[in-house]
Amino acid sequence: MPQRTLLFVLFDGVQSLDVTGPLEVFNGAETHTPGSYRIRTASLEGGPVRTSSGLTLVPDAALGEVPDPHTLLVPGGQGTRSSDPLLTEWLRTHGPRARRLVSVCTGAILLAEAGLLDGRRVTTHWAYCDKLARDHPAVEVDPNPIYVRDGHISTSAGVTSGIDLALALVEEDLGRQAALVIARHLVVFLRRPGNQAQFSAQLAAQTAQRDPLREVQQWITEHPAGDLTVEALAARASLSPRHFARAFQAETGMSPGRFVDRVRLEHARRLLEDTGDGIEEVSRASGYGTPEAMRRAFVRAFGTAPAEYRRRFRPASAH
């Protein structure tokens, strides 16, 4: 098996977790399968860089001193908001020479500025998707997934999604079992598929301002198999169904039905990954009623049926 060289690009204002998260994944892979990766870090001049949180990182070398890598990884952070023209030029020259080009969070902005994402489908942190699309109209920006792989170019959303993408790359290189071993070692709760939304239901929906609506949100999360019709939820909030639906939409940014759909999908996904419960049992516990209803929801959200989802994303030790 050939050794793959990985180069992490460092710069002032980089997000520390964008660097250290994927780096720990690949270092874990090297520990698991010695000789699989050679990891290097480099800044423009080879000097230390200060991360956005104040942590100082000392690179291995200057960018001009390292050979072209197999995988070039560009993290994000506040430093991408006013990038160094010399760094942009280095990426423009050396980016096309990498076998695999990867960005974490707003690192996609640096790749786009170097002209490396034109004609590609990409993602970045949800807060910067509009900016990326506006500043680089030749780039197809998808704000929803936690990571996107388009040919040899892979881009991920905010911070921790870089770990998910790194695990996916390790799985490609070394196999599924190696990636799952590393995920367990790092105590990563879930190895998420790339097309999973950046937001969970609770994060995607704003927290309602009024106590009755907040309590309904919490009740939905804790009782996905309960009666979650608008009428039942409205009664719990002591509102008419029409008033409840309007207020919920206004205060959370999504309809009650959409919030319920997301909660049930996440609950079913967790049960499939973390338990040995049968498909019919999972569908009932998640409020779908029938396996067929759950299957339709999974195909819409993930492009795969529940049984296949479990096969792909449940740790081997749990089988």
Side-chain angles (χ1 to χ4, degrees), residues 230-231 234 239-249 256:
V230 169
E231 290 75 16
L239 298 171
S240 71
R242 187 175 179 182
H243 186 189
F244 169 76
R246 285 202 307 265
F248 193 97
Q249 175 78 47

Side-chain angles (χ1 to χ4, degrees), residues 93-152:
T93 300
H94 294 269
R97 300 176 186 174
R99 294 277 300 277
R100 198 159 58 188
L101 199 55
V102 178
S103 70
V104 179
C105 196
T106 53
I109 293 175
L110 298 182
L111 295 183
E113 290 176 348
L116 299 172
L117 300 184
D118 289 356
R120 299 285 185 172
R121 176 173 167 263
V122 307
T123 194
T124 187
H125 190 288
W126 62 268
Y128 294 91
C129 284
D130 287 346
K131 172 180 171 53
L132 181 59
R134 183 177 60 251
D135 293 348
H136 303 279
V139 179
E140 180 188 347
V141 181
D142 188 339
N144 294 313
I146 58 172
Y147 63 81
V148 170
R149 302 188 64 187
D150 185 345
H152 74 290

Side-chain angles (χ1 to χ4, degrees), residues 86-274:
L86 292 177
L87 178 56
T88 302
E89 186 56 36
W90 186 91
L91 289 171
R92 182 178 292 115
T93 300
H94 294 269
R97 300 176 186 174
R99 294 277 300 277
R100 198 159 58 188
L101 199 55
V102 178
S103 70
V104 179
C105 196
T106 53
I109 293 175
L110 298 182
L111 295 183
E113 290 176 348
L116 299 172
L117 300 184
D118 289 356
R120 299 285 185 172
R121 176 173 167 263
V122 307
T123 194
T124 187
H125 190 288
W126 62 268
Y128 294 91
C129 284
D130 287 346
K131 172 180 171 53
L132 181 59
R134 183 177 60 251
D135 293 348
H136 303 279
V139 179
E140 180 188 347
V141 181
D142 188 339
N144 294 313
I146 58 172
Y147 63 81
V148 170
R149 302 188 64 187
D150 185 345
H152 74 290
I153 296 178
S154 299
T155 54
S156 62
V159 286
T160 58
S161 60
I163 295 174
D164 296 293
L165 176 53
L167 285 167
L169 296 175
V170 168
E171 180 173 355
E172 176 184 281
D173 295 341
L174 306 180
R176 179 172 178 270
Q177 186 59 33
L180 290 172
V181 167
I182 296 159
R184 289 197 296 270
H185 180 72
L186 294 176
V187 200
V188 177
F189 183 62
L190 297 175
R191 192 167 62 88
R192 299 177 292 177
N195 60 355
Q196 183 175 320
Q198 292 193 30
F199 289 135
S200 67
Q202 291 81 359
L203 288 177
Q206 305 166 36
T207 300
Q209 297 176 8
R210 285 178 278 181
D211 286 340
L213 295 182
R214 284 202 302 271
E215 290 169 4
V216 166
Q217 283 182 288
Q218 184 65 30
W219 197 88
I220 292 170
T221 301
E222 295 174 353
H223 302 86
D227 182 358
L228 303 183
T229 61
V230 169
E231 290 75 16
L233 297 176
R236 186 167 291 278
S238 300
L239 298 171
S240 71
R242 187 175 179 182
H243 186 189
F244 169 76
R246 285 202 307 265
F248 193 97
Q249 175 78 47
E251 294 195 20
T252 69
M254 65 172 62
S255 69
R258 182 165 175 76
F259 184 79
V260 167
D261 287 344
R262 289 200 175 197
V263 167
R264 283 176 167 163
L265 187 68
E266 289 169 18
H267 188 262
R269 180 172 54 80
R270 286 195 296 269
L271 290 179
L272 289 172
E273 294 184 357
D274 299 336

Side-chain angles (χ1 to χ4, degrees), residues 33-47:
T33 309
S36 54
Y37 296 108
R38 183 179 184 224
I39 303 169
R40 303 291 303 278
T41 58
S43 63
L44 267 175
E45 301 299 329

Side-chain angles (χ1 to χ4, degrees), residues 8-16 18-19 42-44 47-52 55 57 59 63 73-84 87 91 104 106-108 110:
F8 286 71
V9 176
L10 304 183
F11 50 87
D12 283 327
V14 69
Q15 167 79 41
S16 58
D18 288 2
V19 178
S43 63
L44 267 175
V49 302
R50 191 171 179 79
T51 71
S52 57
L55 181 69
L57 301 178
L63 285 172
L73 192 146
V74 181
Q78 294 177 2
T80 64
R81 299 176 191 174
S82 55
S83 56
D84 190 321
L87 178 56
L91 289 171
V104 179
T106 53
L110 298 182

